[in-house]
């Protein structure tokens, strides 16, 4: 009659930890509670894109090989990383300034003493996936622990990203991520608890594609911009518009501890990129 | 998590491995699980129920495997020096009735009849308000004997409490429990103005009530009580007028009593079994408690039927139980006695609650010398449900809290089966109500 456990009263809803789901998925501790868009860590959707392998969500390392995978793949969990699929390289040279206003230089992957850096999975795999989803692809791996080892290559199935179902004999691609890519709980595993950590760390400095952290921005005649960092405590119209770079020791910026203890006092609404004045309730 | 399991195991070991940490129950909506820890309620697949039934002493591992094991919500640490948030004033230790079962022995608590003086009421309210801060809520309850014997002090002290609380930003609320025979329309106006919760002691229809609650001269009090209460029933807006029925083996007609008083317009009607009486008259035994349980469930089922029909049926016991189960209330004590609540006797003694007035076993100081911290904290340590037997083994321990201290100390625990039976019914009723009428729990107040 009942096919899964359902928390009924309020204390059960607070305390129940569904199998596979970390505390960050609880309503009271999820970052999406305060920052819609972070209901999951999208990077995790790519970890199992190659059947039998588990990749790191933010690097190209192989972190584990499934128990039921082709036994020849077992070796890949010992310091190997994926560097190429078919003819597409997954590591590229990256150039840019090391400091604001500094000269353009190569940005090496210092972690592995490598002149190249791995692409983020979505960028790296989009074109490959559109052409090869559901088929076997040629994958090339290099060992980062022992660079004297020769690269190895395997043919591995590239899983479809979206769920596939058959309706009236017709195979249809569903608008949801395939279950094969993420067992229950895995999409949220790399979110932080408490959510404030992700809020400060990721909302501002990782998921910052639209620069939500850059507020009260004004554009000058030459196209240059000035504005405030939204973690900057002092943000009045009179505050000089100089973006303060992230530094967890800078007392001018909201700290993790302040967010943990009083996020509702530390944060402010930003609407259309501008700080909103605190709303005064009628009658006060 | 492993530490939690070990702690739970050791507690089970202390209790010969028989501590019950859950209850399985069924409704037409399937299998359900009540977890003692945190008073959690779940609907579960049959497989989970089967696994728990066959788990033997390994139920904690089964719970953990399903994500149902959470850290213990209540430890062994007792409350210590909690703030005082409620007092009752025995403003008249005398009564005009001679009820057969009265714990206060017709109002005098076994001693001389006496009335509280202004200085005592004043001092008690100061005790309550001195340490209250803006935003706190406190409660003043008037009891006796019959509190309306000392009407003047009731009104003066309530107004004093309001005057003191207002500038501090403290919200003070009032309640009074009365036999109703001395009520006047002017009392109704006063209670309405200050939003009193007025509880009228009524034990059934005329004949039953009169046999249990006669005037001291022997004549019945029913007609007089209703005549005096009726104007208040019509007046209630801010004021709430409820009926409280003390159930003895002689008035086991709960459904009829409930319907009668609800039809009269009482805000709510509640029942309480007489478990401990100074003269042992009218105490409920196992047979009569079993009868009472059947009738309570009959009243509860009628409540469910009326609720589905969108009808108000203020059966207080089930309303309170559903509210607390929905919240998942879990507590190591049955009430606030000796913790946030004190009963103040007419001569200024501080007692664990109103029932202990005049009883040294529950005395915790007096207004002149203040709260006796040692006696109070010893009481709180002793009365913690983990140290009550057999409560520490019972699945209902955090809903029940171990039972009324006064009744337990006087008579023991003759009503455990009744309490568990009632709570099991209420858990079933909770599931049915949640499934069929979830909006009931969205209301700010259940009544």
């Amino acid at each position: 009659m009942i096919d899964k456990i359902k928390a009924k009263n309020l204390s059960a809803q607070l305390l129940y930890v569904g199998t596979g789901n970390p505390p960050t998925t609880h309503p009271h501790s999820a970052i999406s509670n305060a920052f819609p868009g972070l209901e999951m860590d999208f990077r995790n959707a790519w970890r199992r894109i190659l059947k039998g392998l588990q990749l790191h969500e933010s690097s190209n390392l192989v972190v584990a090989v499934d128990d039921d995978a082709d036994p020849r793949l077992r070796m890949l969990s010992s310091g190997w990383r994926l560097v190429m699929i078919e003819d597409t390289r997954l590591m590229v040279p990256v150039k840019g300034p090391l400091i604001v206003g500094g000269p353009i230089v190569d940005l090496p992957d210092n972690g592995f003493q490598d002149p190249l850096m791995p692409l983020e999975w979505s960028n790296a795999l989009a074109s490959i996936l559109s052409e090869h989803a559901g088929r076997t692809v040629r994958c090339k791996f290099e060992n980062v622990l022992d660079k004297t080892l020769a690269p190895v290559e395997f043919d591995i199935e590239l899983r479809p990203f979206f769920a596939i179902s058959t309706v009236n004999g017709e195979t249809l691609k569903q608008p949801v991520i395939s279950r094969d890519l993420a067992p229950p709980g895995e999409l949220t595993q790399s979110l932080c608890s408490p959510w404030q950590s992700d809020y400060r760390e990721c909302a501002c400095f990782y998921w910052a594609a639209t620069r939500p952290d850059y507020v009260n921005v004004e554009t000058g005649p030459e196209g240059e911009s000035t504005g405030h960092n939204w973690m900057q405590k002092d943000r009045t119209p009179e505050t000089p518009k100089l973006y303060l770079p992230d530094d967890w020791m800078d007392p001018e910026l909201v700290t993790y501890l302040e967010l943990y203890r009083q996020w509702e006092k530390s944060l402010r609404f930003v609407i259309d990129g501008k700080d909103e004045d605190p709303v005064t309730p009628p009658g006060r | 998590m492993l530490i939690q399991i070990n702690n739970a195991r050791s507690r089970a070991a202390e209790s010969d491995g028989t501590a019950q940490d859950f209850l399985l129950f069924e409704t037409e909506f399937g299998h359900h699980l009540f977890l003692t820890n945190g008073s959690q309620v779940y609907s579960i697949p049959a497989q989970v129920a089967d696994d728990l039934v066959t788990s033997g002493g390994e139920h904690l591992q089964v719970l953990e495997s399903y994500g149902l094991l959470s850290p213990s919500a209540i430890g062994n640490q007792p409350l210590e020096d909690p703030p005082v948030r409620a007092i009752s004033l025995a403003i008249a230790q005398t009564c005009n009735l001679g009820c057969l079962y009265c714990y206060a022995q017709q109002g005098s608590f076994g001693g001389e009849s006496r009335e509280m003086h202004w200085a005592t009421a004043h001092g008690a309210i100061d005790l309550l308000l001195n340490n209250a801060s803006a935003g706190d809520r406190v409660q003043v309850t008037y009891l006796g004997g019959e509190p309306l014997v000392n009407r003047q002090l009731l009104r003066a002290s309530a107004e004093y409490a309001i005057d003191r609380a207002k500038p501090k930003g403290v919200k003070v609320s009032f309640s009074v429990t009365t036999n109703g025979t001395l009520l006047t329309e002017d009392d109704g106006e006063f209670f309405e103005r200050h939003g009193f919760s007025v509880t009228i002691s009524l034990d059934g229809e005329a004949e039953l009530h009169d046999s249990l609650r006669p005037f001291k001269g022997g004549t019945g009090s029913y007609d007089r009580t209703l005549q005096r209460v009726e104007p208040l029933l019509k007046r209630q807006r801010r004021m709430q007028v409820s009926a409280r029925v003390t159930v003895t083996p002689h008035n086991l007609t709960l459904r009829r009593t409930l319907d009668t008083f609800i039809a009269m317009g009482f805000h709510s009607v509640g029942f309480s079994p007489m478990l401990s009486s100074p003269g042992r008259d009218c105490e409920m035994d196992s047979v009569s408690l079993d009868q009472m349980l059947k009738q309570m469930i009959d009243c509860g089922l009628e409540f469910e039927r009326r609720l589905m029909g969108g009808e108000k049926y203020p059966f207080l016991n089930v309303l309170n139980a559903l509210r607390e189960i929905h919240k998942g209330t879990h507590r190591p004590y049955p009430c606030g006695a000796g913790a946030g609540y004190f009963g103040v006797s007419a001569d200024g003694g501080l007692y664990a609650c109103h029932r202990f007035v005049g009883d040294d076993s529950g005395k915790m100081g007096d207004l002149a010398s203040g709260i006796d911290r040692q006696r109070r904290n010893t009481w709180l340590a002793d009365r913690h449900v983990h140290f009550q037997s057999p409560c520490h083994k019972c699945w209902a321990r955090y809903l029940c809290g171990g039972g009324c201290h006064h009744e337990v100390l006087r008579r023991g625990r003759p009503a455990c089966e009744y309490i568990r039976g009632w709570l099991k019914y209420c858990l079933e009723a909770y599931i049915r109500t949640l499934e069929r009428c979830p909006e009931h729990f969205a209301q700010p107040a259940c009544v």
Side-chain angles (χ1 to χ4, degrees), chain A residues 1-19, chain B residues 28-31 38-43 45 66-68 325-326 328 430 435:
Chain A
M1 195 181 299
I2 298 166
D3 60 359
K4 63 179 181 180
I5 294 171
K6 291 181 181 171
K8 304 303 281 186
N9 68 346
L10 300 183
S11 59
Q13 288 172 34
L14 278 172
L15 295 172
Y16 177 55
V17 181
T19 306
Chain B
E28 54 267 52
F29 296 99
H31 295 270
S39 295
Q40 304 167 67
V41 182
Y42 293 91
S43 288
Y66 286 112
L68 291 164
I325 289 170
H326 184 59
Y430 172 68
E435 296 291 343

Side-chain angles (χ1 to χ4, degrees), chain B residues 405-446:
Chain B
H405 301 306
H406 187 261
E407 291 169 351
V408 168
L409 292 171
R410 290 289 178 92
R411 196 182 165 198
R413 294 189 168 89
C416 291
E417 288 303 318
Y418 163 78
I419 292 168
R420 277 191 288 266
W422 172 243
L423 290 174
K424 181 170 180 290
Y425 160 73
C426 289
L427 287 165
E428 295 165 2
Y430 172 68
I431 293 291
R432 287 191 291 266
T433 306
L434 195 64
E435 296 291 343
R436 291 176 176 145
C437 193
E439 64 275 14
H440 175 75
F441 298 100
Q443 295 169 358
C446 286

Side-chain angles (χ1 to χ4, degrees), chain B residues 86-154:
Chain B
I87 54 167
S88 64
L89 303 178
I91 55 175
Q93 287 182 205
T94 182
C95 187
N96 56 336
L97 295 194
C99 305
L100 302 188
Y101 50 72
C102 181
Y103 69 80
Q105 294 170 272
Q106 286 73 48
S108 65
F109 292 86
E112 294 285 316
S113 291
R114 56 170 72 117
E115 293 182 16
M116 185 178 282
H117 295 295
W118 165 246
T120 305
H122 185 279
I125 288 167
D126 284 347
L127 173 78
L128 180 67
L129 289 170
N130 279 349
N131 294 316
S133 308
D136 287 344
R137 302 172 72 92
V138 299
Q139 169 92 22
V140 179
T141 298
Y142 295 96
L143 298 167
E146 170 48 46
L148 289 175
V149 167
N150 200 354
R151 173 180 288 111
Q152 198 177 358
L153 183 67
L154 186 157

